[in-house]
Amino acid sequence: GTRIIYDRSFLLKMRNSPIAS
Amino acid sequence: RTRSLEPIDGHHRLQYTYCIWYSRRTPGKLTNPLTYDQSLRIIATFSTVEQFWSVQSYLLRPSELSGHSDLHLFKDGIKPLWEDDANKEGGKWIVRLRKGLASRCWENLILAILGEQFMVGEEICGAVVSIRSQEDIISVWNKTANDSITTIRIRDTLKRVLNLPLNTIMEYKTHNDSLRDHSSF
């Protein structure tokens, strides 16, 4: 099936999203 | 064990749910497996990118851990033990790091695992960073030790994401061998 792939830069960008902090 | 976090609307789901485990090892080779099993603690569970960063913000970084400590990132349902059903036919790539590199390498590795960058289907079981006195060791565990195409692909991805010097020595060890010689590395 389809796999959920995220690249490093996207994941790092998400570090600062308000929902994660 | 901690409660499993349910994904929240608007969060970015990961391919799998993961658990972070922590353990402290008694120095020496002959660690009693039962004692080791009992020393393992799940300290976080997450299944979205947002939950992961929330967990990361309060976890100690590998370089901040003291003594013989191990941090493990494993798929939910797989215990970081050689004997676990998902691991018993498997093995791991071992990378020895000089002091000072573990935190950066560990984060790069975690991001690659969570983001499914290894492209080896269900093969990745988890990864461990082991803090020792002279060096730190990162290992990536996979399900099928005798699947050489997969293990080579894992090695190549690992080299790329850790961004290590070309002469870094990487060693593969099957969990069967670890069980036989009672030694992880």
Side-chain angles (χ1 to χ4, degrees):
Chain A
T2 318
R3 300 184 82 79
I4 307 169
I5 295 169
Y6 298 113
D7 67 20
R8 184 172 181 276
S9 58
F10 174 79
L11 290 173
L12 286 172
K13 201 174 68 186
M14 291 294 292
R15 168 181 251 159
N16 301 316
S17 83
I19 207 164
S21 53
Chain B
R1 56 168 296 169
T2 55
R3 75 198 160 89
S4 197
L5 290 169
E6 287 303 314
I8 300 162
D9 282 351
H11 276 211
H12 294 76
R13 276 210 80 129
L14 297 167
Q15 178 71 38
Y16 299 96
T17 299
Y18 290 89
C19 300
I20 306 250
W21 302 67
Y22 172 76
S23 63
R24 272 183 74 91
R25 249 180 215 269
T26 319
K29 265 194 163 189
L30 294 167
T31 308
N32 179 341
L34 195 63
T35 317
Y36 182 63
D37 189 357
Q38 287 164 352
S39 80
L40 282 165
R41 294 273 180 275
I42 291 184
I43 51 175
T45 303
F46 54 88
S47 55
T48 70
V49 177
E50 288 82 354
Q51 287 166 348
F52 162 68
W53 283 122
S54 161
V55 163
Q56 271 296 86
S57 68
Y58 70 76
L59 282 187
L60 285 177
R61 293 158 66 79
S63 59
E64 295 166 325
L65 298 173
S66 60
H68 278 53
S69 308
D70 291 356
L71 264 185
H72 318 247
L73 170 85
F74 272 73
K75 286 176 181 166
D76 187 29
I78 304 180
K79 238 180 157 179
L81 294 171
W82 304 322
E83 301 88 341
D84 188 280
D85 276 348
N87 297 322
K88 62 187 180 190
E89 301 298 324
K92 66 182 177 218
W93 280 106
I94 300 165
V95 186
R96 293 169 189 277
L97 303 170
R98 63 178 166 79
K99 284 286 179 187
L101 294 178
S103 292
R104 178 179 61 83
C105 288
W106 179 240
E107 185 168 285
N108 285 339
L109 174 60
I110 290 182
L111 296 182
I113 292 176
L114 302 184
E116 285 290 312
Q117 296 291 317
F118 280 88
M119 304 290 199
V120 287
E122 308 281 313
E123 270 291 321
I124 301 286
C125 298
V128 186
V129 57
S130 305
I131 305 306
R132 299 294 181 263
S133 48
Q134 303 296 323
E135 61 185 356
D136 300 323
I137 300 159
I138 275 182
S139 46
V140 175
W141 293 33
N142 76 299
K143 263 187 188 142
T144 321
N146 64 11
D147 177 350
S148 56
I149 293 174
T150 290
T151 54
I152 286 167
R153 185 175 285 184
I154 293 171
R155 181 200 62 193
D156 292 346
T157 307
L158 193 52
K159 271 186 185 168
R160 179 168 55 81
V161 302
L162 294 188
N163 196 19
L164 295 166
L166 286 174
N167 59 357
T168 303
I169 294 165
M170 298 176 67
E171 174 195 348
Y172 192 82
K173 185 167 187 181
T174 69
H175 300 321
N176 263 328
D177 285 346
S178 297
L179 275 165
R180 215 169 292 136
D181 65 16
H182 305 285
S183 164
S184 202
F185 306 121

